[in-house]
Amino acid sequence: MKEKPKYCESPDTFICDDYEVKEEPQLCEIDKSKTYKGLVGIYVDDSTITYIDGINGKLYYRGYSLEDLVHQSSFEEVAYLLIYGKLPTNSQLSNFKDELIKERNIPYDVLSILKSYPRNTTRIELLRTSISALSLYDPDDYIFTEEANIRKGIRIIAKIPTVLALSHRIQSNLPVIEPSEELSHSCNYYYMMTGKIPHDEFKKAFDKILICHADHSINSSTFSCRVTVSTLSDIYSGITSAIGTLRGPLHGGANERVIKYMLEEIKKKENIIPWVKEKLDKKEKIMGFGHRVYKTWDPRAKILREISRKLWSNIERVEKIPDLTHKKEHEEIDNIFEMTELLADYMIETKEIYPNVDLYSAGALHALGIPNAAFTPLFAASRSAGWVAHAIEQLSDNKLIRPRLRYVGELDKNYINIEER
Ligand code: COA
């Protein structure tokens, strides 16, 4: 039996030791006569990685509040925390950073494949396919111990920004840039995209954005990852499944849809209300709103809202990193943060549906100049830390994940020969 998770390191952290969990609004007693479509309200395992309080809008990684981690740590420190379950000492963090730096390069063959993909392929497809290809070059490919899985996981986390930056350069017909051996995880990504060291505002905001996306318990992509490794397949397959799942607009693909509607459909503050009314009348979902677990403000959205507010308060004109997908210069667009606020007010007041992480990450990433095509892949870059942690936790006490479907079709039908149908 696994030990139940306890979070009682400081007086203001809660204790979660009797599973009288009231935090997830839709959580239910199992009733065998019912079908739990979408697995709504079902616990599929125990975990000590991430806790979501969906009523009070709180999020904890390994018992530490997201707010504390965003304000006091770095993405590398959070990735270490998620994978190893505890905060690193100075020397552990420094070794971990060195390992990530050492693993940034990708094999020449994978670079060649990246160059050979069709030029109009989405970046998330490039990433999914490249991660799958990278497994073939991993020296630990056929070693399945926890230590080997951690080594493979670190390689995946280290290489994702490289694949993303190379995809950007290749698709923009620009020469590729080698990874830096000095810069932090997030600064190296910017450097490989642009050949420049990022400005201070970028450094401060980007790491926080990565931390906010690093894990979110058993969301759809993490579930895919855990299902895949639960068959005792490998961690690369788990993360390839996860990337494929993240891509959908109901999950990580939402941030790209948010920026697209801001830039191409809404454009001006006065268009917000008519635009949203029309969508809702047509029963369309508004991307960047709603959540399976939060029925209040998503705490990540709150943090990103502040980042976005700051970034948009002193922007004269957005300087996008040049990208072919952005060749078309957008006409005058109103301040995206202000438009987001109007949209959020309307959704909360009329529908009681709150903004989620994607609403504000879209505006913040746009303000930082990140090409829109990179939004969802960047979510993957950050979430890879969580996926690795979940793959390792799953394998530490594995049970094949294999739910049931309630069969509702007919039985005992007469087989009719094909000529007689
Ligand atoms: N816009 C409009 N209505 C929404 C909505 C949104 N973004 N999110 C939820 N709703 C409404 C639904 O239409 C439904 O209304 P109904 O009961 O009258 O039919 C109700 O709220 C429940 O929504 P449902 O889709 O059943 O909840 P869910 O838990 O299955 O879905 C999401 C959660 C995230 C898939 C959903 O909120 C969504 O599609 N959001 C937009 C995509 C997005 O931003 N994804 C990123 C998530 S971090």
Side-chain angles (χ1 to χ4, degrees):
M1 254 312 253
K2 266 193 300 186
E3 269 204 12
K4 287 175 179 176
K6 282 181 200 280
Y7 300 97
C8 48
E9 288 167 19
S10 73
D12 55 352
T13 52
F14 61 88
I15 300 179
C16 159
D17 65 357
D18 58 2
Y19 287 141
E20 269 196 352
V21 184
K22 302 183 186 79
E23 78 280 13
E24 294 180 26
Q26 300 144 316
L27 215 65
C28 43
E29 290 292 319
I30 297 285
D31 172 349
K32 286 191 178 160
S33 67
K34 281 193 194 157
T35 299
Y36 294 91
K37 210 170 163 60
L39 294 180
V40 175
I42 303 286
Y43 281 135
V44 297
D45 208 335
D46 298 343
S47 178
T48 61
I49 301 175
T50 289
Y51 177 76
I52 304 174
D53 176 346
I55 289 180
N56 298 306
K58 298 255 180 222
L59 178 60
Y60 299 81
Y61 297 158
R62 299 286 190 186
Y64 298 95
S65 83
L66 178 69
E67 285 80 6
D68 284 353
L69 294 168
V70 160
H71 295 302
Q72 297 177 59
S73 70
S74 61
F75 173 73
E76 288 90 330
E77 193 176 350
V78 167
Y80 184 103
L81 172 69
L82 289 169
I83 296 171
Y84 294 101
K86 57 185 173 56
L87 287 172
T89 61
N90 261 327
S91 68
Q92 285 168 333
L93 182 58
S94 151
N95 290 341
F96 185 68
K97 286 180 177 173
D98 287 347
E99 274 181 78
L100 284 171
I101 290 177
K102 195 175 84 205
E103 297 293 352
R104 276 178 183 163
N105 259 310
I106 62 168
Y108 184 76
D109 288 352
V110 178
L111 175 61
S112 307
I113 316 175
L114 256 185
K115 286 183 176 166
S116 72
Y117 295 145
R119 284 299 155 98
N120 58 358
T121 309
T122 62
R123 306 272 166 87
I124 195 82
E125 288 171 286
L126 296 181
L127 180 65
R128 185 196 59 211
T129 312
S130 304
I131 292 299
S132 180
L134 280 168
S135 75
L136 311 177
Y137 300 85
D138 195 301
D140 290 313
D141 197 18
Y142 298 107
I143 307 176
F144 296 93
T145 59
E146 185 169 296
E147 293 71 28
N149 282 335
I150 292 178
R151 288 196 294 276
K152 287 186 262 191
I154 291 173
R155 288 185 194 119
I156 293 170
I157 298 168
K159 290 181 199 314
I160 289 182
T162 305
V163 171
L164 299 188
L166 292 175
S167 308
H168 165 77
R169 302 285 296 182
I170 293 165
Q171 288 198 326
S172 306
N173 295 328
L174 294 166
V176 299
I177 296 173
E178 292 280 316
S180 147
E181 291 182 5
E182 314 287 328
L183 294 171
S184 71
H185 197 67
S186 57
C187 291
N188 173 60
Y189 167 71
Y190 184 91
Y191 166 75
M192 287 189 72
M193 297 265 286
T194 60
K196 296 179 196 150
I197 308 289
H199 49 81
D200 276 351
E201 206 172 27
F202 182 97
K203 283 191 213 165
K204 275 191 220 143
F206 198 66
D207 230 38
K208 292 186 183 355
I209 296 174
L210 291 186
I211 294 173
C212 283
H213 289 85
D215 193 48
H216 209 226
S217 190
I218 195 137
N219 50 82
S220 310
S221 56
T222 304
F223 186 57
S224 289
C225 176
R226 290 187 75 131
V227 169
T228 304
V229 300
S230 84
T231 69
L232 301 185
S233 176
D234 64 296
I235 195 165
Y236 278 91
S237 299
I239 289 177
T240 305
S241 307
I243 296 172
T245 309
L246 182 80
R247 180 185 177 202
L250 295 188
H251 190 6
N255 57 11
E256 285 181 30
R257 306 294 159 111
V258 169
I259 204 66
K260 197 168 154 53
Y261 67 60
M262 285 287 173
L263 297 179
E264 295 175 16
E265 295 178 25
I266 302 176
K267 299 176 189 170
K268 298 279 171 198
K269 282 194 267 189
E270 64 264 27
N271 296 336
I272 291 276
I273 307 298
W275 178 88
V276 65
K277 277 186 174 163
E278 193 188 328
K279 293 264 175 201
L280 292 173
D281 284 349
K282 287 199 231 153
K283 303 269 177 247
E284 285 182 34
K285 290 273 186 74
I286 311 298
M287 297 294 137
F289 288 88
H291 200 272
R292 176 60 63 80
V293 185
Y294 297 115
K295 298 301 160 197
T296 178
W297 273 91
D298 174 339
R300 304 164 303 166
K302 276 197 204 160
I303 293 169
L304 294 175
R305 179 175 178 228
E306 285 319 305
I307 293 173
S308 190
R309 185 201 301 280
K310 266 196 201 133
L311 291 170
W312 283 96
S313 64
N314 49 29
I315 277 188
E316 298 267 303
R317 193 175 169 283
V318 174
E319 293 293 340
K320 287 294 263 189
I321 296 171
D323 180 281
L324 280 194
T325 57
H326 273 278
K327 252 190 158 170
K328 163 170 71 139
E329 193 50 47
H330 291 290
E331 56 204 278
E332 280 296 292
I333 302 288
D334 278 352
N335 183 303
I336 288 188
F337 179 73
E338 289 170 13
M339 293 201 283
T340 309
E341 288 293 270
L342 291 174
L343 185 55
D345 287 348
Y346 186 85
M347 287 295 282
I348 298 170
E349 273 165 32
T350 61
K351 304 284 290 180
E352 267 195 81
I353 297 177
Y354 289 84
N356 61 43
V357 66
D358 292 290
L359 184 72
Y360 293 103
S361 74
L365 290 173
H366 184 75
L368 289 173
I370 302 291
N372 306 355
F375 285 16
T376 307
L378 268 178
F379 192 152
S382 166
R383 185 59 55 85
S384 60
W387 291 331
V388 170
H390 280 275
I392 287 159
E393 183 178 72
Q394 179 66 36
L395 291 169
S396 70
D397 184 25
N398 191 44
K399 176 86 179 161
L400 176 75
I401 301 176
R402 202 291 187 201
R404 298 277 298 272
L405 284 175
R406 185 186 304 281
Y407 179 72
V408 293
E410 295 171 56
L411 290 173
D412 294 331
K413 292 160 87 177
N414 275 340
Y415 181 84
I416 302 166
N417 282 333
I418 197 158
E419 292 78 19
E420 293 163 29
R421 280 174 220 158

